[in-house]
Amino acid sequence: MEFKEDSKKYFHEKCLEIKSGYTPHNQRIETYGSGLQTISHLFDISAIKDGQSILEIGSGTGRLAMPLVDWNVNYTGVEVVKEAVDFCTNAFFPWKERFRFQHVDLYNEYYNPKGNIFLSDYRFEFPDESFDSIIFCSVMTHISMEDNAENYLKEAFRMLKRGGKIWVTWFRCPPNGELNEALRTCLKESFIFNLIADLGLRIEYTFGGFTSYWHDQWETLLVKK
């Protein structure tokens, strides 16, 4: 796996322009390195592969998209924070043929309190079976309700090709207490397992989530049968 130094340098400089959206430890300069660490992990577990069409829901400031410019992928990012989408549209302009970012004005009490679209019944504007891989990184941890999580995963299933994979992180209950708030959403483990099974997804990889630390998220890699 090879990532280019000139890409790293380019994004280190671009990240200093971030005005809104998540940055690791509130440090803009750490954005590329943090994304590289996660993307390297996703390659290692075969959640994503070179040559794929990838959808990231909750793409933020492009943290995970940045290392992917050195690979032959087509990437689409969807995000509720418009300022983050504006930043990405500018930062990824040299790769605009392969990297696209879309703002969706979904309501979220914490991240987009003025949003006028409710997630529980939202249908994404992408055709059925149009992506090889779909990424939810720290998205289900901020969606407030089971109905929102259910719709997100159902839509991901619809948009995913047969044999495609969904990588998703959660806060699980137990060991956390159930919590339905946008700042921190902890869903029942039984609800998550039942939802996965009902959709006809298979768990290929699972790791973590056994403590109550905020950042000890449970990650699952799901395969569409």
Side-chain angles (χ1 to χ4, degrees), residues 138-153:
S138 295
V139 172
M140 299 296 191
T141 55
H142 302 288
I143 46 90
S144 301
M145 299 185 300
E146 290 183 349
D147 286 352
N148 291 338
E150 182 175 356
N151 189 57
Y152 257 150
L153 209 57

Side-chain angles (χ1 to χ4, degrees), residues 25 49 61 72 103 111 117 127 131 136 140 157 172 176 183 193 200:
H25 312 293
K49 296 179 180 178
T61 53
N72 180 33
H103 174 243
Y111 285 102
I117 302 172
F131 296 99
F136 292 92
M140 299 296 191
F157 182 87
R172 69 201 294 179
N176 297 279
L183 182 60
F193 279 129

Side-chain angles (χ1 to χ4, degrees), residues 57-58 78 80 104-109 115-124 136 139-156 159 185:
I57 297 176
V78 176
V80 302
V104 179
D105 197 25
L106 292 170
Y107 170 79
N108 182 281
E109 181 183 355
N116 57 21
I117 302 172
F118 289 99
L119 171 58
S120 57
D121 57 0
Y122 178 71
R123 183 179 175 91
F124 286 88
F136 292 92
V139 172
M140 299 296 191
T141 55
H142 302 288
I143 46 90
S144 301
M145 299 185 300
E146 290 183 349
D147 286 352
N148 291 338
E150 182 175 356
N151 189 57
Y152 257 150
L153 209 57
K154 282 182 175 179
E155 278 293 280
M159 295 183 288
T185 306

Side-chain angles (χ1 to χ4, degrees), residues 7-217:
S7 300
K8 176 181 177 180
K9 181 180 178 182
Y10 171 85
F11 282 113
H12 272 187
E13 294 173 356
K14 275 293 178 181
C15 285
L16 296 177
E17 301 174 12
I18 295 174
K19 295 182 174 63
S20 181
Y22 171 77
T23 53
H25 312 293
N26 294 318
Q27 297 294 320
R28 290 173 291 177
I29 197 65
E30 293 186 19
T31 302
Y32 180 88
S34 171
L36 176 59
Q37 185 178 24
T38 300
I39 287 298
S40 297
H41 172 61
L42 294 187
F43 273 113
D44 288 343
I45 64 173
S46 297
I48 57 176
K49 296 179 180 178
D50 195 27
Q52 288 189 332
S53 177
I54 298 170
L55 172 65
E56 182 179 6
I57 297 176
S59 52
T61 53
R63 185 177 68 93
L64 301 187
M66 292 174 188
L68 289 174
V69 300
D70 294 327
W71 294 81
N72 180 33
V73 300
N74 289 304
Y75 171 98
T76 301
V78 176
E79 172 59 40
V80 302
V81 179
K82 187 176 186 303
E83 291 83 359
V85 174
D86 292 341
F87 165 78
C88 289
T89 300
N90 173 268
F92 287 84
F93 185 79
W95 301 275
K96 62 184 177 65
E97 298 302 320
R98 295 189 296 115
F99 284 76
R100 298 168 295 278
F101 296 87
Q102 180 186 95
H103 174 243
V104 179
D105 197 25
L106 292 170
Y107 170 79
N108 182 281
E109 181 183 355
Y110 184 70
Y111 285 102
N112 193 31
K114 295 182 179 180
N116 57 21
I117 302 172
F118 289 99
L119 171 58
S120 57
D121 57 0
Y122 178 71
R123 183 179 175 91
F124 286 88
E125 298 176 0
F126 303 112
D128 295 356
E129 300 189 8
S130 52
F131 296 99
D132 298 295
S133 297
I134 298 178
I135 297 171
F136 292 92
C137 185
S138 295
V139 172
M140 299 296 191
T141 55
H142 302 288
I143 46 90
S144 301
M145 299 185 300
E146 290 183 349
D147 286 352
N148 291 338
E150 182 175 356
N151 189 57
Y152 257 150
L153 209 57
K154 282 182 175 179
E155 278 293 280
F157 182 87
R158 177 185 66 79
M159 295 183 288
L160 193 66
K161 296 177 183 178
R162 293 287 173 182
K165 298 182 180 181
I166 302 169
W167 184 74
V168 53
T169 61
W170 324 75
F171 287 126
R172 69 201 294 179
C173 169
N176 297 279
E178 186 177 7
L179 189 60
N180 297 315
E181 295 179 3
L183 182 60
R184 177 177 167 90
T185 306
C186 301
L187 298 171
K188 290 181 180 179
E189 183 184 81
S190 57
F191 164 78
I192 295 170
F193 279 129
N194 289 336
L195 177 58
I196 291 169
D198 289 346
L199 285 174
L201 291 164
R202 173 174 60 84
I203 298 178
E204 182 171 275
Y205 171 90
T206 177
F207 179 79
F210 290 111
T211 78
S212 57
Y213 295 141
W214 271 54
H215 297 292
D216 180 40
Q217 293 187 27

